[in-house]
Amino acid sequence: MPTSEDYKGQVPAWCPGCGNFNILSTVEEALVELGIEPWEVLMVSGIGQSGKLPHYTKCHTFNGLHGRTLPVATAAKLANHSLHVIAVAGDGDCYGEGGNHFLHTIRRNPNITLLVHDNQIYGLTKGQASPTTAQGTRTKIQPYGVLEEPLNPLALAISQDCSFVARGFAGDKAYLKELMKAAISHKGFALLDILQPCVTFNKINTFKWYRDRVYKLEEEYDPHNRLKAFERSLEWGDRIPNGIFYKNERETLEEGIPTIQEEPLVRQKFSIEDVKHEIEKFY
């Protein structure tokens, strides 16, 4: 069985008190409790403070371009669907630069997990507004306040029938771990949006601000009711629900590709003649 020490990577270089520390340790604990070994995991990230997380773990990692986390994660899952593929992104990285990939990954439904560090700001580039920054918020390059309404990633995902949609809070590690375990265990594309306070550049959405508002969805809540899930995803302000909003079972991207059903692509052997034969089918 793996231990947390098996997942220890480089020493984190985040700001003291950053919510990312809790996300990092919770990811490691969730994987250990699920009995998943480091060599069975691939973490893919883009650019941003969240993108550093794979460097601070010990498993297979791929650090790519800004906003391009999901295409790489999807390709890796198709090449070797025996891996547990976890995509790690920030709200700017995923919902801004990577917004188009986010939408089409929902459509394709690969069996991967997406952890979004949602701090409602661009932290690495020193505090610009992100897609989830509240309207009216003033930043260094928005001195008159953000003009646009914030993106609601949960409502967007549910509207497109994403197979697993959840939200957690970095200040509640115990509950966040349960949500992570559920997301990683889910068959299909799983989105876990994590409210992650940025202690340096976001002085509004602090740990206290969230603790005064966050609550868990009721035990009797039914995550299979899509309309109710969409309704609850719109709730924001004085009360912010956390938990599994929506989930459903549908065919994954890998299940729809016959050539990788018997064994992962990475273990298949092809000769030049095999490749020529496949190409000739299209001409």
Side-chain angles (χ1 to χ4, degrees):
M1 288 289 291
T3 66
S4 293
E5 286 301 311
D6 295 329
Y7 278 99
K8 296 299 180 185
Q10 301 175 31
V11 177
W14 291 314
C15 301
C18 176
N20 282 330
F21 285 99
N22 281 354
I23 297 175
L24 172 63
S25 60
T26 304
V27 169
E28 295 171 346
E29 292 170 12
L31 290 168
V32 167
E33 291 189 13
L34 288 171
I36 301 173
E37 298 283 353
W39 58 267
E40 297 177 301
V41 178
L42 168 65
M43 286 197 186
V44 181
S45 68
I47 302 300
Q49 294 294 354
S50 62
K52 298 177 181 179
L53 186 142
H55 299 279
Y56 306 147
T57 59
K58 190 179 292 182
C59 60
H60 301 295
T61 62
F62 187 102
N63 189 207
L65 300 175
H66 205 187
R68 306 298 183 262
T69 305
L70 290 172
V72 175
T74 300
K77 189 66 177 182
L78 289 177
N80 187 358
H81 55 267
S82 63
L83 282 173
H84 294 273
V85 179
I86 300 174
V88 181
D91 45 314
D93 184 33
C94 184
Y95 305 141
E97 285 82 354
N100 58 329
H101 296 300
F102 177 60
L103 286 173
H104 294 298
T105 304
I106 293 173
R107 290 179 56 228
R108 296 184 181 110
N109 196 38
N111 188 18
I112 64 177
T113 304
L114 171 61
L115 305 179
V116 180
H117 301 217
D118 191 350
N119 59 11
Q120 298 168 270
I121 207 80
Y122 279 98
L124 185 65
T125 49
K126 307 299 184 282
Q128 299 88 350
S130 80
T132 57
T133 303
Q135 190 175 31
T137 302
R138 296 189 179 191
T139 74
K140 293 178 180 178
I141 62 170
Q142 284 92 13
Y144 302 108
V146 176
L147 301 178
E148 305 91 348
E149 290 189 4
L151 178 75
N152 185 327
L154 272 64
L156 177 60
I158 294 168
S159 75
Q160 299 305 304
D161 203 25
C162 183
S163 69
F164 183 101
V165 181
R167 180 166 60 208
F169 170 45
D172 185 352
K173 283 190 59 179
Y175 192 45
L176 180 60
K177 181 169 63 176
E178 295 309 309
L179 294 173
M180 280 190 184
K181 288 164 64 176
I184 294 169
S185 301
H186 177 77
K187 189 183 78 169
F189 180 52
L191 164 66
L192 175 54
D193 186 82
I194 306 170
L195 303 174
Q196 176 253 309
C198 174
V199 296
T200 301
F201 297 110
N202 188 341
K203 302 299 185 180
I204 298 173
N205 309 114
T206 62
F207 277 100
K208 182 182 185 307
W209 189 91
Y210 281 120
R211 288 195 177 101
D212 289 343
R213 292 164 172 79
V214 165
Y215 72 95
K216 298 176 185 177
L217 288 169
E218 303 81 8
E219 289 187 10
E220 62 273 17
Y221 173 80
D222 180 12
H224 298 95
N225 186 327
R226 188 176 172 193
L227 290 177
K228 179 59 70 173
F230 186 82
E231 179 183 331
R232 296 302 292 271
S233 73
L234 300 178
E235 188 177 342
W236 183 272
D238 293 336
R239 298 274 286 164
I240 302 175
N242 274 3
I244 300 174
F245 285 72
Y246 181 64
K247 61 180 178 179
N248 69 78
E249 297 292 336
R250 57 189 179 95
E251 184 179 66
T252 65
L253 179 62
E254 306 91 274
E255 290 175 329
I257 303 176
T259 53
I260 61 174
Q261 294 306 304
E262 294 185 7
E263 61 180 346
L265 186 62
V266 71
R267 297 202 182 102
Q268 297 182 28
K269 295 181 180 180
F270 300 95
S271 67
I272 296 297
E273 291 303 317
D274 291 332
V275 175
K276 287 181 178 179
H277 179 68
E278 290 298 319
I279 292 175
E280 288 170 356
K281 288 182 180 180
F282 297 95
Y283 295 96

